[in-house]
Amino acid sequence: MEMTSAFTLNVRLDNIAVVSIDVPGEKMNTLKAEFASQVRAILKQIRDNKALRGVVFISAKPDNFIAGADINMIGDCRSAQEAETLARQGQQIMAEINALPIPVIAAIHGACLGGGLEMALACHNRICTDDVKTVLGLPEVQLGLLPGSGGTQRLPRLIGVSTALDMILTGKQLRAKQALKVGLVDDVVPQTILLEAAVELAKKDSSAHRVLPVRERVLAGPLGRALLFRMVSKKTAQKTLGNYPATDRILEVIETGLAQGSSSGYEAEARAFGELAMTSQSKSLRNIFFANTDVKKDPGSEAKPGPLNSVGILGGGLMGGGIAYVTACKGGLPVRIKDINAKGINHALKYSWDQLETKVRRRHIKAGERDKQLALISGTTDYRGFAHRDLIIEAVFEDLSLKQQMVAEIEQNCAPHTIFASNTSSLPIGDIAANAARPEQVIGLHFFSPVEKMPLVEVIPHATTSEQTIATTVKLAKKQGKTPIVVQDKAGFYVNRILAPYINEAIRMLTEGERVDTIDAALVKFGFPVGPIQLLDEVGIDTGTKIIPVLEAAYGERFSAPANVVASILNDDRKGRKNGRGFYLYGAKGRKSKKQVDPAIYTLIGVQGQGQLAAPQIAERCVMLMLNEAARCFGEQVVRSARDGDIGAVFGIGFPPFLGGPFRYMDSLGAGEVVAVLQRLSTQYGSRFTPCEQLLQMAERGERFWNIGETDLNS
């Protein structure tokens, strides 16, 4: 049987052809290889109809144009040649759209990304809606690829090379106003008149060439271009540290096209696309993308979630304020904050006001939208307005008796179905629920700081938490725009448990005389966004080290930190960035300068800071401890799957995404190799490196963490 086409052609009475894009059975339009014949059939009809005056491409989906190409196509390619052929097909179709003899307009509403933007670039003009959902970008670099359907060639010619490089190298998305400003679109209109405006544009036949801004014109000459590429390539190398091969290829392909002409550019683009598709980095980044999509679809439980109409928050501190913001402004749910005093409530409200005010200033939202979102948040110093809340998130101090008291108060003041979710980072959820009348409605919901930026949350049921409570909490986390993983109620849960040995090892190397900046640089070179010691400064040295005794009590001495060091740093009133005193110096606000280590640190811990180790050795010690602990968590079923473990590490602590997460990384090394390295380190540095039972068994049996078939690109 003939599959329903994703493309429908309608010819209007005024002889403008409207091509609607609607991929059957999908929420998002994505481009698939099998659409090539459908598009060709439509293009033939357009060419054959000599009466046509113009063509408009528009999406029939309510909130997206084309969100990109279907990434599964790349996973199906077995060789660089196959992936190159895929790119050539894409280029070919775009060229045919571009070659139509009448004006072709892309009418864009919603996401227009990757292959979707490449298709819009192949049209003669573009018009988009002023809606917040409308974003334009080429995010391929984030999957270790480059735009393969002509994007590297058409974009620089349309908007100028430096603006295009900025978009393609970062994958950043432009909103309607920004797109208009750089010349990516020709007009921005309200959604209600998008089609009519596009039709008018098609009748005008306004393919008049837009004049690029002076800066872009200067950079278009061979001299300006050489200078620009040298500068950008240096800046990019500082950012990627050689870990992301796609950026070099992007620079090379764009430069080829500008220096040797489009056809050489297209050749180079397709070839580079094919080769990048086969790199381990791209496979890992695509695996993370699939795992993330997978987690977002996972309801966390078989049960049906309970009602979720309004939320309460206990505690108006930094965490409470952040949680209120994502619940109201991302989740659209009414939130009521309770704090012991009005100051706490005002503090929490100001947090959301500041976030929204920044958006208004940047013209991302209108003032009316800000007020509407703020109106969802209210505060109280007693339990008025709490009676019908479906879920309460508790974000008070890390004190067990206080949290138990909160459970009792919620059970007295809220409805029988109300869920109590604790944002604790170290206390067992089972202990918090110990005296509860309804322990099945108590659960952990662990956010990471800063709440509005960190995508991960850990959902932590204790032994008697009900399935419905899990399902409801997971649903809330997704509404808040988070990626939730369900983890077991064991000390440290998952993320902090694998992070602690990694940070401990960094501190231990400090006491052995390694330098703060050398240690941090080694792990940034390995692929982490910041080094372990800077991370401690960022989260707060007091907060970051509070969990160590908890873990040590639960799991023994492999979690012991060089105690005297931590104590002497905290006794010197060093809490990190928040009080402007940490391992690093925090100068006057607003001064952009290279981060300097505070030299007083070395005196404080009584070392010279001479440093013996090379960067790979430093990174190896920190990372191997993290991997060993992750393998233990897998064996103890602290995480439900390798997928959850990889997502937790990548989104919770910035584990290098191009390595695919700790479990993908161990699979790529092989359990035998991981065991061998750990054994070597344990002879050198001590028993904390002893490989865990899980790894020894897997090495013996030649097993992997990811079973073949679990959306696997590395097989």
Side-chain angles (χ1 to χ4, degrees):
M1 70 172 241
E2 176 64 2
M3 58 179 273
T4 323
S5 175
F7 299 86
T8 325
L9 175 72
N10 282 310
V11 177
R12 295 168 35 119
L13 295 174
D14 54 11
N15 278 328
I16 299 289
V18 177
V19 180
S20 302
I21 313 162
D22 192 352
V23 179
E26 306 266 345
K27 230 177 84 180
M28 297 293 236
N29 282 330
T30 57
L31 297 174
K32 303 177 199 290
E34 62 263 27
F35 293 165
S37 54
Q38 300 178 9
V39 178
R40 288 219 160 91
I42 291 227
L43 295 176
K44 184 177 184 321
Q45 281 176 276
I46 291 171
R47 282 194 299 266
D48 290 350
N49 183 344
K50 298 297 179 233
L52 289 181
R53 300 166 57 191
V55 187
V56 172
F57 281 94
I58 194 164
S59 164
K61 301 283 186 207
D63 57 6
N64 58 85
F65 178 70
I66 298 173
D70 180 359
I71 301 160
N72 289 305
M73 297 189 298
I74 304 157
D76 296 340
C77 295
R78 289 281 158 257
S79 67
Q81 277 66 38
E82 282 181 36
E84 182 177 332
T85 306
L86 200 62
R88 285 182 195 282
Q89 276 176 325
Q91 290 178 348
Q92 189 53 44
I93 292 278
M94 302 309 173
E96 288 179 37
I97 292 174
N98 191 256
L100 287 173
I102 48 178
V104 184
I105 314 295
I108 301 163
H109 170 66
C112 172
L113 301 169
L117 182 56
E118 289 182 289
M119 186 168 151
L121 287 167
C123 298
H124 305 146
N125 292 88
R126 285 145 300 281
I127 184 167
C128 75
T129 66
D130 55 7
D131 196 285
V132 288
K133 290 196 182 98
T134 300
V135 285
L136 297 90
L138 294 171
E140 287 82 352
V141 68
Q142 293 162 0
L143 297 175
L145 299 165
L146 49 65
S149 298
T152 64
Q153 305 305 304
R154 287 200 173 93
L155 191 64
R157 288 176 172 78
L158 178 69
I159 65 173
V161 62
S162 85
T163 315
L165 280 173
D166 186 35
M167 278 182 74
I168 299 175
L169 285 169
T170 62
K172 78 168 177 204
Q173 303 176 5
L174 303 186
R175 291 159 194 268
K177 291 234 173 71
Q178 298 164 295
L180 181 63
K181 196 172 151 196
V182 302
L184 184 52
V185 297
D186 303 279
D187 202 1
V188 175
V189 297
Q191 192 190 345
T192 43
I193 61 162
L194 177 63
L195 181 59
E196 287 310 314
V199 167
E200 285 312 306
L201 197 56
K203 288 178 184 166
K204 277 217 292 267
D205 186 11
S206 60
S207 48
H209 197 63
R210 184 178 158 270
V211 181
L212 288 173
V214 175
R215 173 162 175 267
E216 292 289 4
R217 290 208 301 273
V218 170
L219 295 171
L223 206 69
R225 200 168 61 226
L227 194 69
L228 173 74
F229 275 90
R230 210 165 46 235
M231 204 173 74
V232 171
S233 140
K234 198 175 138 196
K235 208 170 105 181
T236 307
Q238 284 169 352
K239 271 200 191 132
T240 62
L241 299 169
N243 289 325
Y244 292 89
T247 52
D248 288 345
R249 299 303 300 267
I250 288 168
L251 286 161
E252 174 194 312
V253 165
I254 293 179
E255 193 160 23
T256 300
L258 293 173
Q260 297 166 31
S262 295
S263 61
S264 306
Y266 287 121
E267 282 289 318
E269 178 186 84
R271 198 170 53 249
F273 183 88
E275 288 166 14
L276 285 170
M278 293 297 127
T279 60
S280 66
Q281 290 92 337
S282 176
K283 286 178 183 169
S284 292
L285 290 163
R286 291 188 332 256
N287 276 326
I288 281 289
F289 175 83
F290 288 129
N292 190 27
T293 314
D294 219 24
V295 169
K296 287 198 167 129
K297 287 183 188 152
D298 186 343
S301 160
E302 301 290 305
K304 205 170 138 294
L308 248 190
N309 301 312
S310 67
V311 171
I313 291 176
L314 304 178
L318 197 60
M319 290 308 275
I323 298 166
Y325 170 73
V326 295
T327 308
C329 305
K330 294 233 167 73
L333 290 169
V335 182
R336 193 150 171 84
I337 304 163
K338 178 186 179 296
D339 198 280
I340 38 182
N341 58 39
K343 208 172 100 192
I345 294 162
N346 291 338
H347 182 261
L349 290 170
K350 184 174 182 317
Y351 187 94
S352 287
W353 165 266
D354 290 343
Q355 294 291 332
L356 292 166
E357 193 41 38
T358 308
K359 286 188 167 180
V360 173
R361 257 207 330 276
R362 293 187 180 152
R363 302 222 170 116
H364 293 177
I365 59 171
K366 299 200 160 65
E369 181 59 30
R370 170 201 64 201
D371 299 343
K372 205 167 84 195
Q373 291 188 14
L374 272 177
L376 287 170
I377 310 176
S378 61
T380 174
T381 51
D382 52 29
Y383 282 102
R384 267 183 305 202
F386 266 70
H388 302 293
R389 305 271 150 181
D390 299 308
L391 190 146
I392 307 296
I393 300 170
E394 165 274 304
V396 301
F397 293 115
E398 288 285 271
D399 174 318
L400 183 59
S401 57
L402 175 64
K403 288 183 191 272
Q404 288 175 335
Q405 181 197 329
M406 293 293 111
V407 174
E409 289 184 13
I410 288 305
E411 291 186 327
Q412 280 155 15
N413 291 287
C414 293
H417 76 274
T418 302
I419 291 171
F420 183 97
S422 174
N423 172 49
T424 175
S425 53
S426 60
L427 298 168
I429 309 302
D431 292 359
I432 294 172
N435 314 325
R438 295 188 285 272
E440 68 281 4
Q441 282 157 229
V442 177
I443 194 165
L445 184 58
H446 179 211
F447 292 84
F448 296 84
S449 181
V451 176
E452 77 282 356
K453 285 207 182 77
M454 298 297 281
L456 190 81
V457 291
E458 290 176 306
V459 173
I460 312 125
H462 64 97
T464 59
T465 302
S466 74
E467 288 295 323
Q468 185 180 38
T469 298
I470 299 175
T472 314
T473 310
V474 165
K475 185 178 165 185
L476 171 69
K478 288 179 187 167
K479 268 184 159 336
Q480 293 167 326
K482 301 295 173 201
T483 300
I485 58 169
V486 179
V487 301
Q488 242 197 75
D489 186 20
K490 287 189 139 182
F493 313 134
Y494 170 66
V495 172
N496 282 340
R497 179 168 161 189
I498 66 170
L499 183 62
Y502 164 90
I503 288 184
N504 275 351
E505 196 60 22
I507 294 177
R508 193 172 269 110
M509 285 188 269
L510 263 188
T511 61
E512 293 167 11
E514 295 303 327
R515 300 187 62 79
V516 173
D517 38 1
T518 315
I519 295 172
D520 279 347
L523 284 133
V524 169
K525 172 79 183 107
F526 182 80
F528 281 89
V530 292
I533 298 177
Q534 192 187 333
L535 182 67
L536 205 47
D537 256 9
E538 296 295 334
V539 297
I541 302 168
D542 52 344
T543 321
T545 51
K546 192 159 51 195
I547 192 162
I548 304 291
V550 178
L551 290 165
E552 204 178 345
Y555 305 115
E557 65 160 33
R558 70 170 190 270
F559 275 96
S560 60
N564 49 344
V565 179
V566 176
S568 52
I569 285 167
L570 288 171
N571 290 340
D572 194 38
D573 187 34
R574 289 176 185 269
K575 290 180 183 167
R577 178 188 285 284
K578 60 182 171 189
N579 76 339
R581 289 171 58 81
F583 293 96
Y584 286 87
L585 290 169
Y586 295 91
K589 273 254 189 290
R591 236 189 15 170
K592 277 266 194 208
S593 63
K594 202 163 153 37
K595 263 225 149 69
Q596 298 284 323
V597 176
D598 185 346
I601 281 289
Y602 300 112
T603 328
L604 200 60
I605 55 181
V607 292
Q608 242 75 64
Q610 295 300 328
Q612 306 297 313
L613 296 177
Q617 293 172 295
I618 292 174
E620 181 180 67
R621 280 175 64 175
C622 292
V623 173
M624 291 315 288
L625 279 179
M626 181 182 277
L627 296 179
N628 201 15
E629 205 54 48
R632 273 200 188 87
C633 289
F634 183 89
E636 296 170 21
Q637 294 182 318
V638 168
V639 282
R640 290 179 166 186
S641 60
R643 176 201 75 181
D644 288 4
D646 281 343
I647 287 292
V650 171
F651 290 138
I653 43 191
F655 188 92
F658 61 86
L659 297 174
F663 296 106
R664 287 268 183 212
Y665 183 50
M666 286 190 276
D667 280 351
S668 70
L669 297 170
E673 172 65 12
V674 177
V675 165
V677 175
L678 283 165
Q679 279 166 338
R680 167 169 61 77
L681 290 170
S682 71
T683 356
Q684 273 177 291
Y685 299 107
S687 64
R688 63 185 180 280
F689 284 100
T690 308
C692 66
E693 204 42 51
Q694 178 72 28
L695 279 168
L696 291 168
Q697 281 177 10
M698 288 175 73
E700 203 174 300
R701 300 181 195 143
E703 290 172 346
R704 305 158 43 108
F705 289 101
W706 278 82
N707 299 320
I708 306 289
E710 294 182 279
T711 322
D712 193 48
L713 302 177
N714 289 341
S715 46

